[in-house]
Amino acid sequence: MARFQLIPVRLSWTALLALGHLTYLLVGAIVFQILEREAESNNRNHFQLEKLYFLANYTCLDGEALEKFVQVILDAWETGVNPSGNSTNPSNWDFSSSFFFAGTVVTTIGYGNLSPSTVSGQVFCVFYALCGIPLNLAFLKQLGKCLTVHLGRLERGMVSVVPHKQAVEVMAVGLFLITGSLLFLVIPPLLFSYVEGWSFGEGFYFAFITLSTIGFGDYVVGTDPDKDYISVYRSLAGIWIIFALAWLALIFNLGARIMEHVFLLTHPGFKKQEEEEDVSSSKLEDSSKI
């Protein structure tokens, strides 16, 4: 009789975190879409009715009616409804946009141009962020470790070409910086500029404000009602944000290390003082044990 044996599958911690992070974003996108899309549709229909009413009574318009309509426009904008165009504008809560929104929540970017308008959506957003932010930090930390490993392999591979270790470190960091800049800070702004109709300066400004997690919300991809975006456009932008943040975190760590090395080279007495303090502290610990 044939026996079936289960083959053990080993998953690395990085792969497990990546899978968990992606699953968490997908679940968030689905829940946000379910909770918010119907409310957005109702708000959009209400605004279109108010617009028609305004146009029908334009001939007898007075100051009070104008103020009321301006307030309707402001309310529509706050709920994520674009006042321009009509009810056929793309939804802010389709799956791709919901996935992008989930990414901005867990990365704490928070553009401010879109937020849950229902009570259930707001409550879910609170608990989603409470769990998602630590998960995102753990994922970015692990991704940074993987990039550090690859950087170390690059340095070891260059040792055979350049014998000096310090020169190899500088060359490897420079190559890593140039490659990452092209992938995350040059090519994406070019694509955003082409798709959104921005200048390269505006695209680069959006990329920097996004990756620094400032998130003003004055420039956001995929929000122009006159453009026909591909369905996964904003989802791809969300994935770009995650990996670019990991690369930036590693760059900041490398920058801190370089500054520390430069400081120790220019202040050799500081390193000697640190060593003396370490020796004295270890002696105190040994004496306390005795």
Side-chain angles (χ1 to χ4, degrees):
M1 187 173 180
R3 294 183 178 180
F4 295 96
Q5 294 182 350
L6 294 176
I7 301 175
V9 179
R10 296 182 63 184
L11 286 176
S12 66
W13 176 240
T14 304
L16 195 62
L17 264 181
L19 182 62
H21 194 275
L22 178 61
T23 303
Y24 195 78
L25 289 176
L26 292 174
V27 170
I30 293 171
V31 175
F32 279 123
Q33 183 180 14
I34 293 173
L35 295 177
E36 295 296 325
R37 191 163 189 176
E38 183 179 356
E40 180 202 28
S41 179
N42 293 334
N43 290 330
R44 184 171 292 176
N45 292 333
H46 172 72
F47 177 72
Q48 294 302 323
L49 289 174
E50 290 288 343
K51 184 190 284 187
L52 293 175
Y53 178 78
F54 173 79
L55 294 174
N57 293 274
Y58 184 81
T59 55
C60 57
L61 181 66
D62 56 13
E64 183 179 354
L66 180 61
E67 289 296 328
K68 181 181 178 181
F69 186 67
V70 169
Q71 186 60 46
V72 169
I73 293 177
L74 292 175
D75 293 339
W77 183 262
E78 289 176 358
T79 55
V81 177
N82 196 320
S84 62
N86 50 45
S87 58
T88 61
N89 288 346
S91 173
N92 288 317
W93 293 106
D94 57 12
F95 180 79
S96 180
S97 299
S98 300
F99 184 89
F100 181 76
F101 176 77
T104 62
V105 170
V106 299
T107 55
T108 68
I109 293 174
Y111 289 114
N113 68 313
L114 184 65
S115 59
S117 60
T118 63
V119 175
S120 55
Q122 291 168 352
V123 172
F124 174 75
C125 187
V126 170
F127 290 100
Y128 185 76
L130 284 175
C131 300
I133 292 173
L135 174 62
N136 182 66
L137 291 175
F139 175 70
L140 291 180
K141 182 180 179 181
Q142 188 64 28
L143 199 57
K145 288 182 180 179
C146 292
L147 292 176
T148 304
V149 170
H150 288 294
L151 181 60
R153 290 176 181 174
L154 179 62
E155 291 179 356
R156 289 192 295 272
M158 294 174 66
V159 167
S160 59
V161 181
V162 182
H164 300 289
K165 185 178 179 181
Q166 291 182 346
V168 168
E169 289 182 356
V170 172
M171 291 175 62
V173 170
L175 183 61
F176 189 78
L177 180 62
I178 293 172
T179 305
S181 298
L182 287 173
L183 288 176
F184 299 120
L185 292 177
V186 176
I187 296 176
L190 284 173
L191 295 176
F192 294 144
S193 302
Y194 174 76
V195 174
E196 301 291 341
W198 299 338
S199 65
F200 177 76
E202 291 172 323
F204 184 82
Y205 169 80
F206 163 75
F208 177 80
I209 293 300
T210 296
L211 299 182
S212 60
T213 67
I214 296 173
F216 287 129
D218 49 352
Y219 287 87
V220 183
V221 295
T223 57
D224 191 342
D226 297 326
K227 294 187 180 296
D228 187 18
Y229 301 103
I230 61 173
S231 58
V232 294
Y233 175 58
R234 301 191 82 183
S235 297
L236 292 175
I239 294 173
W240 160 73
I241 290 173
I242 298 294
F243 283 92
L245 284 175
W247 172 78
L248 271 182
L250 179 58
I251 291 299
F252 290 150
N253 289 334
L254 290 174
R257 282 172 51 190
I258 291 172
M259 291 177 65
E260 183 179 355
H261 287 316
V262 171
F263 182 80
L264 292 177
L265 287 173
T266 55
H267 299 78
F270 185 81
K271 184 176 182 180
K272 185 177 180 181
Q273 182 181 352
E274 274 192 337
E275 292 175 351
E276 291 176 353
E277 289 178 354
D278 292 338
V279 171
S280 61
S281 62
S282 61
K283 287 181 178 179
L284 286 173
E285 289 178 359
D286 293 337
S287 62
S288 62
K289 289 178 181 179
I290 295 172

